[in-house]
Amino acid sequence: MNKLVLRPIDKISLFIMTALMFVIGGLIIGENNCGSQCFFKKGPRVKSFTWQNKQIGAKDRAFILTFNRPMDTVSVENNLVIDPPVPGKFSWAGRRLAYTLKNSAPYGQTYQIYLSGAKERFRQQGQPGEVMEPFVGEFQSRDRALAYIGTQGEEEGRLVFYNLTRQNKRILTPKELVVINFEFYPQGDYILFSAAPQGRGIEGLRELQLYKVTTGVDNGVDNPTANQPGKTELILDNKDYQNNQFDLSNDGKIIVIQRVNRQNPADFDLWMLKSGDKPERLKVTGGEFSITPDSQTLAVARGEGIGILPLEPRAEPLDFLPKFGQLLSFAPNGSAAAMVDFNTDDANLRYMRSLFYVNNQGVQKELLTTEGSIIDCQFNLRGTIIYCLLTELVDTEEYKEQPYFAKFDIKTGAMMPLATLSDYRDINISLAPDGLALLFDQIITSDNPIFNDKLTSNSGEAIIGGQLWLLIPPEQNNSSTQVELKELPLIGFRPKWLP
């Protein structure tokens, strides 16, 4: 009788089959007899939590809990605890629970998620569902941080990054450059800025170049360069064209910049610069401009109105709003904007300005008419509130404008004054991404000729200092809380929040 001879491939197959039998047996035993510390856990549990150990920003609005079994939804919703509390609403899709935040999570916090006592759905009619294992998750919001242009000592003319949560500060840009303006990239890991050579004063405005610099903010992306602060890179030179104002798209992929031909000042246009590409002329002329929140179109002041155009060369306008002379800001989702109508009171021949809320459904809602100025307005994240810096004329012999902050409820149109300031000179405002504080500056100027090499204000005076302030509005639906004004221990101007 012939013996059965196993070839090597047969031996391997037999070994694998035997190993699989042991694994399957272990799984069965583990499911039935495993203790609470065993890998094969028994009963209903949370399989995954999308924000586990992650850092979130203002645009992160919902997390998902996925369970290993169908759950009794009421018991889950009644037992889910977020500490500190973040109001939101529940929605279900099978075994997946989505929790959508009503407002963005306040920055500078560590949050924990607790869930215990929840039950699985009834397995059989008349039998109660098994209670799930307790679950604990954790996530963080971004640090509360800002950047500004310094005015004193080694910070003068340089970008400074200040982390309010951790109370630390770093200078980002080299001392050879004087920063004129800047914008954060969406993840906060880079800043786009325009700058001129040191010591050129007002003449430096004709020599602006575009750069980007790393902030050192850890956004969870494995990028060794971005995680080191102060790495500066030239983005656009000024060899043939003078660079003026610019805007960065919300996705961080497109820059639009106004440029003037050095050989022919009558040749000025808007240019588009995409990541990795050469600058491209848009063949669009106009005044102030802004990229829309969807990063697809451009709003440009053109004569007596605002034109909305696709971001492509020689594009025809998609829409034109002839009534408005200035676009202040867009709502974060792009569905609405704050605009200014310049008009005259025919009866008294007074020059007036009107603030309007304009949305993509054709609504044009007037919020305010004033003889003063409408300096700037910014929407909260949900687009339900607009915070504005305004002025009113003071009844004195000399022309004087009194600056003040106010907020407008879009639904009701009601205005609530927040705070009055003593002086108005080139104030810049920035609303925190979580909507909890307004950041603004108050510059100190001088007309002494010894400061001619410094940056100048809109009135032509040299900027020799600046104070940075926080305005904290009252809590929503809480009339007992008061507006808070806090001076920050920082000297500079043009502050902007980390996104």
Side-chain angles (χ1 to χ4, degrees):
M1 188 166 114
N2 295 329
K3 280 187 176 182
L4 179 62
V5 178
L6 295 177
R7 297 178 181 178
I9 187 67
D10 296 324
K11 293 180 180 179
I12 294 173
S13 299
L14 183 61
F15 175 79
I16 292 173
M17 291 172 63
T18 304
L20 285 173
M21 290 176 62
F22 277 106
V23 170
I24 293 170
L27 286 171
I28 295 172
I29 295 171
E31 180 69 20
N32 291 320
N33 301 315
C34 186
S36 62
Q37 303 303 317
C38 187
F39 179 79
F40 303 110
K41 294 185 177 180
K42 181 183 177 182
R45 66 180 187 276
V46 173
K47 287 180 62 178
S48 65
F49 169 42
T50 53
W51 285 359
Q52 181 65 28
N53 297 325
K54 289 189 176 181
Q55 187 182 82
I56 66 165
K59 294 183 180 179
D60 296 303
R61 299 300 303 278
F63 64 75
I64 295 174
L65 290 173
T66 302
F67 298 87
N68 68 329
R69 297 183 185 180
M71 300 297 293
D72 174 53
T73 59
V74 174
S75 70
V76 173
E77 294 175 13
N78 287 342
N79 287 283
L80 182 68
V81 176
I82 305 175
D83 184 32
V86 185
K89 63 179 182 179
F90 299 94
S91 57
W92 288 85
R95 301 179 185 183
R96 293 157 57 92
L97 163 65
Y99 186 81
T100 303
L101 277 57
K102 182 179 180 182
N103 300 301
S104 59
Y107 276 30
Q109 301 262 19
T110 297
Y111 297 87
Q112 289 192 318
I113 304 290
Y114 302 95
L115 181 58
S116 63
K119 298 178 180 179
E120 67 176 327
R121 193 179 304 158
F122 291 174
R123 290 175 292 180
Q124 296 179 14
Q125 191 170 2
Q127 291 188 7
E130 189 174 346
V131 176
M132 68 167 285
E133 296 176 4
F135 170 77
V136 179
E138 185 174 284
F139 66 93
Q140 293 180 326
S141 57
R142 287 183 183 173
D143 287 349
R144 196 177 296 279
L146 60 101
Y148 64 93
I149 302 172
T151 59
Q152 299 288 314
E154 64 174 355
E155 295 181 5
E156 184 177 353
R158 301 167 74 181
L159 264 183
V160 183
F161 183 85
Y162 183 68
N163 189 316
L164 275 168
T165 301
R166 303 180 188 275
Q167 299 289 299
N168 60 43
K169 180 167 64 172
R170 60 175 75 111
I171 299 174
L172 299 179
T173 54
K175 61 183 179 180
E176 294 80 15
L177 296 177
V178 175
V179 178
I180 303 300
N181 205 355
F182 68 95
E183 291 188 27
F184 276 98
Y185 278 79
Q187 296 301 319
D189 49 356
Y190 288 91
I191 294 177
L192 176 70
F193 68 95
S194 59
Q198 181 69 256
R200 299 290 290 165
I202 195 169
E203 291 297 319
L205 297 177
R206 298 184 179 92
E207 303 176 29
L208 295 179
Q209 300 190 119
L210 280 187
Y211 304 82
K212 74 175 183 178
V213 64
T214 55
T215 62
V217 170
D218 183 5
N219 61 6
V221 178
D222 186 13
N223 185 343
T225 300
N227 292 338
Q228 298 178 29
K231 300 293 183 182
T232 304
E233 176 186 349
L234 178 65
I235 299 297
L236 184 63
D237 63 39
N238 61 5
K239 181 179 178 182
D240 299 315
Y241 290 86
Q242 176 182 318
N243 301 311
N244 295 330
Q245 60 176 315
F246 67 89
D247 193 24
L248 176 66
S249 63
N250 271 9
D251 61 9
K253 297 178 180 179
I254 299 174
I255 302 168
V256 174
I257 184 165
Q258 185 186 67
R259 309 187 80 193
V260 181
N261 192 319
R262 289 193 173 279
Q263 303 303 318
N264 179 15
D267 174 18
F268 62 94
D269 199 356
L270 297 183
W271 293 64
M272 176 173 63
L273 180 60
K274 293 184 178 180
S275 302
D277 293 343
K278 293 182 179 180
E280 185 176 16
R281 186 190 290 263
L282 287 174
K283 291 290 184 182
V284 174
T285 57
E288 294 183 352
F289 60 90
S290 180
I291 302 174
T292 56
D294 63 3
S295 304
Q296 301 295 316
T297 53
L298 186 69
V300 186
R302 308 182 77 180
E304 296 295 325
I306 304 292
I308 309 295
L309 305 93
L311 264 175
E312 56 188 47
R314 300 177 178 84
E316 292 296 322
L318 297 171
D319 197 3
F320 187 71
L321 301 169
K323 183 175 182 177
F324 305 104
Q326 184 181 6
L327 169 68
L328 296 170
S329 67
F330 286 103
N333 64 4
S335 65
M339 295 189 179
V340 178
D341 176 25
F342 300 98
N343 51 72
T344 303
D345 182 344
D346 294 330
N348 300 296
L349 298 178
R350 294 183 301 174
Y351 187 61
M352 311 292 287
R353 300 171 179 86
S354 296
L355 173 64
F356 275 82
Y357 167 83
V358 181
N359 69 15
N360 56 10
Q361 304 299 313
V363 173
Q364 297 184 3
K365 187 173 186 176
E366 185 175 341
L367 301 175
L368 173 75
T369 295
T370 178
E371 287 186 88
S373 298
I374 302 171
I375 308 302
D376 196 4
C377 292
Q378 296 184 10
F379 285 85
N380 67 348
L381 190 65
R382 297 174 63 199
T384 57
I385 299 290
I386 301 179
Y387 292 93
C388 291
L389 173 62
L390 311 164
T391 71
E392 62 179 355
L393 295 184
V394 179
D395 189 15
T396 61
E397 292 183 2
E398 295 183 359
Y399 179 87
K400 184 179 180 181
E401 292 183 77
Q402 178 81 55
Y404 66 100
F405 287 100
K407 76 171 186 177
F408 295 86
D409 185 302
I410 300 302
K411 185 176 181 180
T412 65
M415 183 186 83
M416 175 182 176
L418 296 176
T420 300
L421 304 180
S422 60
D423 193 15
Y424 163 59
R425 281 180 294 180
D426 298 358
I427 298 174
N428 295 269
I429 67 172
S430 177
L431 180 62
D434 59 11
L436 297 183
L438 271 167
L439 180 64
F440 69 97
D441 59 0
Q442 288 187 301
I443 61 172
I444 302 170
T445 62
S446 173
D447 57 5
N448 193 318
I450 67 172
F451 298 119
N452 284 347
D453 61 338
K454 294 184 179 293
L455 291 174
T456 58
S457 66
N458 291 338
S459 61
E461 295 182 311
I463 299 174
I464 61 173
Q467 297 171 298
L468 302 186
W469 294 81
L470 283 182
L471 184 152
I472 303 173
E475 293 181 15
Q476 198 77 11
N477 302 321
N478 188 345
S479 58
S480 63
T481 58
Q482 300 295 316
V483 175
E484 290 185 63
L485 273 177
K486 294 183 178 180
E487 184 177 0
L488 295 175
L490 306 170
I491 301 175
F493 68 108
R494 239 166 245 171
K496 293 182 181 177
W497 286 110
L498 172 76

